[in-house]
Amino acid sequence: QVQLVQSGAEVKKPGASVKVSCKASGYTFTSYGISWVRQAPGQGLEWMGWISAYNGNTNYAQKLQGRVTMTTDTSTSTAYMELRSLRSDDTAVYYCARDGVAVAGDLDVWGKGTTVTVSS
Amino acid sequence: EIVLTQSPATLSLSPGERATLSCRASQSVSSYLAWYQQKPGQAPRLLIYDASNRATGIPARFSGSGSGTDFTLTISSLEPEDFAVYYCQQRSNFGPGTKVDIK
């Protein structure tokens, strides 16, 4: 079955970086993109960015430009999201979701989420 | 940037009742609008894409309508498992959500 399996919870200090992985299975990885969405405690959903698994094109949320990098490894069907210079307000559950190959759109398959806690 | 607003923020209804949720875009998004359901501790689930198409496995009691700037998600008869938060989304933008809770 189609699924996205994310890496485990992380605890980081302010100023550090975190890299979350998202391993896809059950479909042709390079025929889709991956979007990353985060959700701070008790808050709504925030779109972080999108990457095409076909050609590596990316589109990042403006507020995260310069701090976030999304990559893929097609040999292992895995997507990665790295967030740098972490702050306390980056504490959130981070989700990866299957998206369109050419542009961000509907998210039809989601990972279970990775909790990232930023605390000194 | 397109801004999505959802109303009401909270909808208190009983099982069996009809739920009508609204999503408004700050400018036309044509029919590029999706709806998601999220239950506590779970990832969101795609319900509707392109404004009116049910995603795979979604029950027929869920329907979407609208185009341009005004969209509606309707749940024809609420089941106990439908009490959750619902978000609309247009590409890189999510609405703030509508919580449907038990009256």
Side-chain angles (χ1 to χ4, degrees), chain B residues 61-78:
Chain B
R61 64 180 181 274
F62 291 92
S63 63
S65 63
S67 65
T69 60
D70 290 298
F71 299 86
T72 300
L73 174 70
T74 301
I75 311 171
S76 60
S77 178
L78 283 163

Side-chain angles (χ1 to χ4, degrees), chain A residues 6-20:
Chain A
Q6 298 187 224
S7 49
E10 304 264 12
V11 179
K12 297 290 183 181
K13 293 194 182 303
S17 298
V18 69
K19 192 169 186 177
V20 180

Side-chain angles (χ1 to χ4, degrees), chain A residues 16-95:
Chain A
S17 298
V18 69
K19 192 169 186 177
V20 180
S21 67
C22 171
K23 183 172 176 60
S25 61
Y27 72 95
T28 302
F29 184 64
T30 52
S31 294
Y32 292 85
I34 294 287
S35 272
W36 291 87
V37 175
R38 69 180 180 178
Q39 186 169 37
Q43 302 302 307
L45 302 172
E46 179 186 10
W47 182 84
M48 300 179 64
W50 161 89
I51 182 167
S52 170
Y54 173 71
N55 56 18
N57 284 353
T58 55
N59 181 15
Y60 301 140
Q62 192 166 6
K63 69 174 286 189
L64 296 174
Q65 288 272 3
R67 285 209 300 140
V68 68
T69 301
M70 295 175 188
T71 56
T72 60
D73 181 344
T74 56
S75 68
T76 61
S77 299
T78 303
Y80 298 91
M81 186 284 299
E82 181 179 33
L83 189 61
R84 299 175 294 278
S85 303
L86 289 168
R87 309 186 289 246
S88 58
D89 62 356
D90 291 318
T91 293
V93 177
Y94 288 74
Y95 295 102

